[in-house]
Amino acid sequence: MFHRLVPVALLSVLALAGCDDGTTTPTETAETTRPATASASTPGPSATPSPAVVMPDLRNQTFHEAQQELAGLPGVRVTATARHKDVTLPKDHGSWRVCDASPRPGTLVTADDTVVVELAKQAGDCEISHHGYLHETNDPAYTPPQTQTPEPARTPTSAPATSKPAGDTLITCSDGKQGYACTSNGHPVVDGQFCPSADHDRTLKATNGTMVTCSYDPSVKPYRWQ
C-alpha cells in the first residue's frame, strides 16, 4: 500500500514546484487567452451621409421628364408651381414645360433638399412676364390705352382746286371753258353773272380782265360778280 501512495505524492510535489518557478497551469492559460467581450459603451460604425449630387438643368423639359431625371436623386422632394400669378396649375400637369428650377443647375443637392420647378403650359410662355402675369390685362398696373375721338370732317370754305387766283394767264376750269379764274362750282368768272354763295366776298379776275367781287345784288339775285 505504501508503494501505491508514493507516485501520487510525487505528482503533488511536482505540481507545487511548477507554481513556484513561475510557469502557468493549463487552467490559467485558458483564462488569460480568452478573447475580451466588447463593452456595451463601445460606439458602433457611424452612418454614411447621403452623397451630394449635381442639380441637372431641367429647363424646356416636360414635368414628367423632369420627374424621371430627378428620380436619380434618392430622397429629393419635388414641388411644382405655376410660372405666372394669373395661371392655376392643373391637377394633370405632366406635359407642362419647366421654365426654371430651384436650386439652380450645377448646385449640389442632397436627400434633404426640395426641388421647386416653375411650369408653363407652353415653352414660349416662359419668356412672357407682365410683372409676373402671363396676360397683360391681369396686371394690376396695366392701363388700357385711351381711345382718341376722331375730329369731325371740316367743310371746305375755300374754292376747289380748279379755282385759281386772278392772273394774266388763262386757265381751263372744270367745265372745260377758259378764264382768268374759276368759280367754286367750276366755271370761269364772268363779270355780271351770278355767283355761288360759297364764293361770297371773293374777288377774282373776270374774263374781260376786270376784277370783280361776288357780292349781294338785291335787284336781281342775292349774289353776282360785279
Side-chain angles (χ1 to χ4, degrees):
M1 183 178 181
F2 176 78
H3 294 288
R4 293 178 180 178
L5 294 175
V6 171
V8 175
L10 182 61
L11 289 174
S12 300
V13 172
L14 291 175
L16 293 174
C19 294
D20 292 339
D21 61 8
T23 60
T24 58
T25 63
T27 301
E28 291 173 339
T29 303
E31 291 178 355
T32 56
T33 57
R34 184 181 304 167
T37 303
S39 173
S41 62
T42 303
S46 60
T48 303
S50 300
V53 294
V54 177
M55 176 70 182
D57 189 354
L58 306 175
R59 289 173 295 184
N60 295 325
Q61 296 187 23
T62 64
F63 179 67
H64 180 69
E65 293 171 342
Q67 280 185 309
Q68 290 181 329
E69 187 162 356
L70 291 174
L73 311 180
V76 172
R77 298 177 294 274
V78 182
T79 300
T81 183
R83 171 76 163 182
H84 303 95
K85 300 176 184 179
D86 54 342
V87 175
T88 301
L89 198 65
K91 184 177 181 181
D92 183 12
H93 49 266
S95 62
W96 283 45
R97 295 286 176 173
V98 177
C99 298
D100 206 351
S102 178
R104 305 291 297 173
T107 305
L108 294 179
V109 295
T110 64
D112 296 329
D113 292 331
T114 298
V115 175
V116 179
V117 293
E118 296 181 358
L119 304 179
K121 188 174 183 179
Q122 299 176 359
D125 293 344
C126 294
E127 306 301 325
I128 302 175
S129 179
H130 301 284
H131 297 96
Y133 293 86
L134 177 62
H135 303 286
E136 185 179 12
T137 54
N138 293 335
D139 180 7
Y142 171 73
T143 302
Q146 296 181 354
T147 57
Q148 296 182 350
T149 304
E151 296 182 359
R154 297 180 179 179
T155 303
T157 57
S158 60
T162 54
S163 298
K164 295 183 179 180
D168 296 331
T169 305
L170 291 173
I171 60 175
T172 302
C173 298
S174 60
D175 64 355
K177 298 179 181 179
Q178 289 187 334
Y180 292 104
C182 301
T183 65
S184 61
N185 53 3
H187 302 291
V189 175
V190 179
D191 185 15
Q193 284 192 349
F194 302 126
C195 58
S197 59
D199 292 335
H200 183 218
D201 290 336
R202 293 183 66 200
T203 300
L204 300 173
K205 188 174 183 179
T207 54
N208 61 2
T210 60
M211 300 301 294
V212 292
T213 301
C214 181
S215 58
Y216 180 70
D217 184 357
S219 63
V220 184
K221 280 267 186 168
Y223 297 105
R224 180 188 295 271
W225 294 108
Q226 54 187 356

